[in-house]
Amino acid sequence: GGVLGGADAALGVAAGVAVTVASYVLTTVVLAWADARNPQLVLPFGVGLYVAKFTLLGGVMVAVASTGWAGVVPLCLGIAVGVVVWTGAHIWWISTVHARRTRS
């Protein structure tokens, strides 16, 4: 982002990736906690967390977009890249590393 768009773009991309990482880590921790307490809590906690996260994310995005900050588009691209990379890493982990462990 910094190479293509300067400091605002670099900050936007970094913030977007950070938002994605924080979101996925929060989900992982909360759902692991719920599953450890009672597996029947996973669905309600998952749905509740999903609604809360996307409501908060939407509100933050509207607030940031209304400022006219030049890093808004890079922020969105950082979120998208973070989602693709995180999802790809999980697919790789499950299909290679985890699969080897379960076969052994």
Side-chain angles (χ1 to χ4, degrees), residues 83-97:
V83 168
V84 169
V85 170
W86 190 283
T87 303
H90 273 133
I91 291 169
W92 171 81
W93 175 263
I94 290 169
S95 65
T96 59
V97 176

Side-chain angles (χ1 to χ4, degrees), residues 14-31:
V17 171
V19 164
T20 303
V21 169
S23 173
Y24 280 136
V25 168
L26 176 67
T27 299
T28 301
V29 170
V30 168
L31 293 184

Side-chain angles (χ1 to χ4, degrees), residues 24-81:
Y24 280 136
V25 168
L26 176 67
T27 299
T28 301
V29 170
V30 168
L31 293 184
W33 175 86
D35 191 38
R37 299 296 176 268
N38 182 349
Q40 292 180 341
L41 293 175
V42 171
L43 180 61
F45 271 78
V47 171
L49 191 58
Y50 179 84
V51 169
K53 285 188 327 184
F54 279 93
T55 301
L56 180 63
L57 180 62
V60 168
M61 292 300 290
V62 167
V64 170
S66 69
T67 66
W69 178 48
V72 172
V73 172
L75 173 71
C76 295
L77 293 173
I79 291 171
V81 168

